[in-house]
Each structure stands twice: as C-alpha cells, then as structure tokens.
Amino acid sequence: DKHGNKSYFLNNLVGIVEDGMLLRVWGTHRNITRQREAEEKLRNLAQAMQNVSDVIISTDLNFNILAWNKAAEQVYEIEADVVLGKPIRQFVHHEYVNCTREDVVVQLEETDFWEGLVYFDRRDGKRIYLTMSLSCVKNDAGEKIGFVGIHKDITDRREADEALRISEERYRSVVNALREGIVLLDKTGAIIAHNSGIEKIFNDSKSCRDDCE
C-alpha cells in the first residue's frame, strides 16, 4: 500500500474458451492480508518454541496445522512437512479424559482456555497420555485468529504409577495371606496399617488398636 506495507489478495479467474480462443474472463479479488498476518503470527509463536521439550502446535480457527515443533514430531512420530496446512484430526485422534471434544470447544469459545488429560494410540499401538492446555490466540484488534496447544507426554509417569499400584496391591495380598500378625507403626508409634492375621488374633481391627495402645 502507500505506506509500504505488504497486502495479500486471493484471486480467482474463470474463463470461456471457444475454438482454442479465450473469449471472456471473470475474476474475484479478495483481500486476505489480515488472514495471512494471523497465520504468520501463529507460525512465529510456535517456531520460537521449536527446541522446548513440550509439544507445541498452533492451528487456525478450523484446526488446520500452522506450526508443529520438534517435540511434536517425536511424540506423534510424524514429520512437520507432512502435517502443515492440514486438519490435525487427519493425523491424530485425541480421546479426552473426563470430557468430550465438544466440551473443549465450548470452553475455548467461552473462556479462551482449556486444560486437561488426553490420550491417543500411536501407530505402533502404544497408548500415549498427555496433559494438554489449549489457548486462543488473538490479533491486535482482539479477534481470535487461532489456537496454540501445549502437550506434555506423561506416559512414563502414568506407567510408573500403575506399576507401583500393582506392586502395592500384590504386597498387600501377600501380607494379608500370612497367618502371622503384622502391624505397621509410624515414627510416633501409632498404627497406620495391619494385616488380616492380626485381626484374627485380636478378633477385629478395633480391638487390635485398643490392645496395642
């Protein structure tokens, strides 16, 4: 324009050809400068976070991918060149824990932010759990232009927690199967756990605490 700023237009031409000759041409000319600026802002935002350990993905308002950082490539095992410009659900189907995708969209519309737990099944069949936060991105006029998502892979932590839970359950099963009475005390001498063997000795857990105290 007259101020030296770039302007972008989307042109569409339709022509009529007869006997190999172009007779008429109709065209439309639409200014898409603000749309291009919004997309560039979203790309720059995600590109600035290329080397962070968390997944950073930015999309337009239709959830078409504009930026996909290195962590996203590693977690989803898909290169950025494959997904850019395409709908995210074409490549990844997130399942939301304790809510639905529709709930997430509604909350984003109302509060511009959502945070929660999701999972997806990777191509090798492994289930990946993520904490996800989604935020609306606005332009200088305060208009929503897209979304930025931060995804943190917590699969290893969940697997460790599950392994610990199973181990504790097995331990309790073994301890409860013993005939010997077992009592666990804290550092003050208060009973914090006991097995079923001690209950049989003292008839019930209440009399166990009364007699031991």
Side-chain angles (χ1 to χ4, degrees):
D1 60 19
K2 64 181 181 180
H3 302 294
N5 300 315
K6 289 184 179 180
S7 295
Y8 297 90
F9 297 88
L10 180 63
N11 299 315
N12 184 36
L13 298 176
V14 178
I16 294 179
V17 177
E18 292 183 3
D19 300 324
M21 300 291 293
L22 180 63
L23 299 182
R24 296 185 183 86
V25 177
W26 288 270
T28 60
H29 189 63
R30 184 162 63 93
N31 191 324
I32 60 169
T33 303
R34 295 183 71 177
Q35 177 182 335
R36 285 291 298 271
E37 290 175 346
E39 291 176 354
E40 189 65 22
K41 181 176 180 179
L42 288 167
R43 288 193 190 96
N44 290 338
L45 182 62
Q47 288 298 325
M49 299 183 178
Q50 270 295 327
N51 295 316
V52 300
S53 59
D54 291 341
V55 172
I56 308 290
I57 299 172
S58 67
T59 72
D60 62 18
L61 292 175
N62 294 316
F63 297 100
N64 296 308
I65 299 167
L66 301 177
W68 182 272
N69 75 344
K70 293 178 182 178
E73 292 183 331
Q74 294 169 357
V75 169
Y76 293 105
E77 297 186 337
I78 307 174
E79 297 295 322
D81 292 344
V82 176
V83 301
L84 291 178
K86 299 171 184 175
I88 190 169
R89 286 176 64 81
Q90 182 176 330
F91 303 96
V92 183
H93 293 275
H94 291 116
E95 298 292 338
Y96 296 84
V97 178
N98 299 325
C99 69
T100 65
R101 184 174 185 271
E102 290 70 27
D103 295 332
V104 174
V105 172
V106 169
Q107 185 169 329
L108 279 173
E109 291 176 350
E110 295 177 349
T111 68
D112 297 341
F113 181 78
W114 177 85
E115 186 174 29
L117 179 66
V118 305
Y119 66 85
F120 74 99
D121 293 328
R122 210 165 53 189
R123 287 180 293 181
D124 61 4
K126 183 177 177 63
R127 179 157 291 183
I128 305 298
Y129 286 87
L130 306 160
T131 56
M132 179 186 294
S133 63
L134 298 174
S135 301
C136 290
V137 179
K138 299 181 180 181
N139 60 18
D140 295 337
E143 301 168 327
K144 295 179 181 179
I145 58 175
F147 305 99
V148 169
I150 301 176
H151 311 177
K152 188 176 185 65
D153 186 352
I154 61 166
T155 306
D156 290 344
R157 188 175 76 193
R158 281 184 64 94
E159 289 177 347
D161 290 344
E162 180 66 10
L164 178 61
R165 182 188 66 79
I166 293 173
S167 176
E168 289 176 343
E169 287 181 353
R170 288 174 178 169
Y171 170 78
R172 283 194 294 268
S173 297
V174 171
V175 170
N176 281 328
L178 297 175
R179 291 186 176 183
E180 294 82 358
I182 297 176
V183 177
L184 181 62
L185 308 176
D186 65 14
K187 61 182 180 180
T188 67
I191 297 174
I192 57 176
H194 60 80
N195 72 341
S196 56
I198 201 71
E199 292 183 15
K200 293 176 182 177
I201 294 172
F202 291 95
N203 295 323
D204 56 50
S205 59
K206 183 177 184 303
S207 64
C208 169
R209 291 190 178 91
D210 293 341
D211 292 344
C212 287
E213 290 173 358

